[in-house]
Amino acid sequence: MKNKFLFIAMLCSMIFMSCRKQSEDVDKNNIVTNEQTEQEICSNVVNENTISNDESISVNEDSESASDEFYVIPEDPCPDLILYRIRIDRKWGFIDYEGNIVIPCIYSSTSDFVDGISNVSTENEDFYINKLNEKVDYKGPEINTPDPYTLDYVEGKEPDVIPEGYKLSRETSCIGEDFFTVELIEDDYYIAVISKDGKLVIPAEIYDIGPFRNGMAPFKHGHAGIDGYLRKDGVVFDFY
């Protein structure tokens, strides 16, 4: 009888050990399965956020996520060069601060240069150029050009002398840089520009003049375009 109980005890012990081993194997399988699932999830995230080589995206470093839009903005080849729009024979181009024509007047329209890029058009197409007059691939914000003749006159300034036969074109006539608009007493259709000491800088033959931007003020003889510039040192570039 004693041997019988001993045999039963040994048999129960063997059964218990076998069940425990099977349980550990199941746990190990579960751990491996969990690791594989985690790797698959990471792989999916990487794949979903991978950008192909032929795509570009702009990322704001201060933002937690990338923008939905992407920009392609070419590098400015002449970052120190400031160009000014000019119209000659109803075509647009650009001059520099010395009055040299840098980009010939061959375009139907142009925008100001922004970040080294101008939006130009011909009779057949609309595209972008850099300051070397080269076509560039630009995908970015729309380039807007403000009205060059929107002028905020400088309050509280008057010329020391007004030339004989002229009067101020308006009560506040300072356009900046100590220049003033005047008009003929007998004919107020056109305006002229004088310096603070009363010197006639531009005769009474322009229709409008705009504010100084980057040292130059645009003017026109008719109702449209930019025919020339008054530089802040009194030099006049007139292509009319």
Side-chain angles (χ1 to χ4, degrees), residues 59-131:
V59 178
N60 184 348
E61 295 180 355
D62 297 330
S63 175
E64 296 180 356
S65 62
S67 170
D68 293 333
E69 299 179 352
F70 64 93
Y71 292 155
V72 177
I73 302 178
E75 184 177 355
D76 185 352
C78 310
D80 297 327
L81 176 64
I82 300 175
L83 295 181
Y84 306 84
R85 296 193 305 137
I86 193 71
R87 193 180 76 154
I88 302 174
D89 295 331
R90 299 188 177 183
K91 294 291 185 179
W92 290 87
F94 291 87
I95 64 172
D96 62 12
Y97 191 71
E98 300 300 325
N100 302 308
I101 297 177
V102 177
I103 297 178
C105 295
I106 57 176
Y107 296 110
S108 301
S109 67
T110 60
S111 73
D112 287 337
F113 274 97
V114 177
D115 294 328
I117 303 297
S118 173
N119 184 196
V120 302
S121 66
T122 64
E123 294 179 357
N124 301 319
E125 61 179 330
D126 186 275
F127 53 95
Y128 297 91
I129 61 170
N130 62 18
K131 293 175 184 175

Side-chain angles (χ1 to χ4, degrees), residues 178-225:
D178 280 340
F179 291 101
F180 303 82
T181 56
V182 295
E183 59 192 28
L184 290 169
I185 296 174
E186 296 181 356
D187 183 2
D188 60 1
Y189 185 79
Y190 290 105
I191 61 173
V193 178
I194 64 172
S195 60
K196 187 173 177 56
D197 59 3
K199 178 183 176 182
L200 194 63
V201 179
I202 300 177
E205 55 185 31
I206 63 173
Y207 183 77
D208 203 358
I209 188 167
F212 282 93
R213 292 191 180 97
N214 295 314
M216 302 264 267
F219 62 81
K220 58 184 178 181
H221 290 272
H223 292 272

Side-chain angles (χ1 to χ4, degrees), residues 13-174:
S13 175
M14 291 174 64
I15 292 171
F16 173 77
M17 293 297 292
S18 177
C19 291
R20 182 176 180 182
K21 186 175 184 305
Q22 290 179 359
S23 176
E24 289 176 352
D25 289 341
V26 171
D27 290 340
K28 288 180 180 179
N29 289 334
N30 285 339
I31 292 173
V32 172
T33 300
N34 288 339
E35 290 176 350
Q36 290 174 341
T37 302
E38 204 170 297
Q39 290 174 356
E40 290 173 357
I41 293 173
C42 290
S43 177
N44 290 337
V45 170
V46 170
N47 289 335
E48 290 173 358
N49 290 279
T50 300
I51 303 170
S52 63
N53 291 333
D54 59 352
E55 292 179 333
S56 300
I57 190 165
S58 172
V59 178
N60 184 348
E61 295 180 355
D62 297 330
S63 175
E64 296 180 356
S65 62
S67 170
D68 293 333
E69 299 179 352
F70 64 93
Y71 292 155
V72 177
I73 302 178
E75 184 177 355
D76 185 352
C78 310
D80 297 327
L81 176 64
I82 300 175
L83 295 181
Y84 306 84
R85 296 193 305 137
I86 193 71
R87 193 180 76 154
I88 302 174
D89 295 331
R90 299 188 177 183
K91 294 291 185 179
W92 290 87
F94 291 87
I95 64 172
D96 62 12
Y97 191 71
E98 300 300 325
N100 302 308
I101 297 177
V102 177
I103 297 178
C105 295
I106 57 176
Y107 296 110
S108 301
S109 67
T110 60
S111 73
D112 287 337
F113 274 97
V114 177
D115 294 328
I117 303 297
S118 173
N119 184 196
V120 302
S121 66
T122 64
E123 294 179 357
N124 301 319
E125 61 179 330
D126 186 275
F127 53 95
Y128 297 91
I129 61 170
N130 62 18
K131 293 175 184 175
L132 300 178
N133 199 25
E134 299 170 332
K135 272 189 180 183
V136 294
D137 182 22
Y138 172 81
K139 296 182 178 67
E142 181 180 355
I143 299 177
N144 296 313
T145 298
D147 182 351
Y149 299 105
T150 301
L151 177 60
D152 292 328
Y153 286 87
V154 180
E155 300 283 347
K157 284 193 172 185
E158 294 182 358
D160 297 333
V161 179
I162 299 176
E164 185 177 354
Y166 286 87
K167 64 178 180 178
L168 294 178
S169 62
R170 58 197 312 275
E171 185 175 348
T172 301
S173 65
C174 181

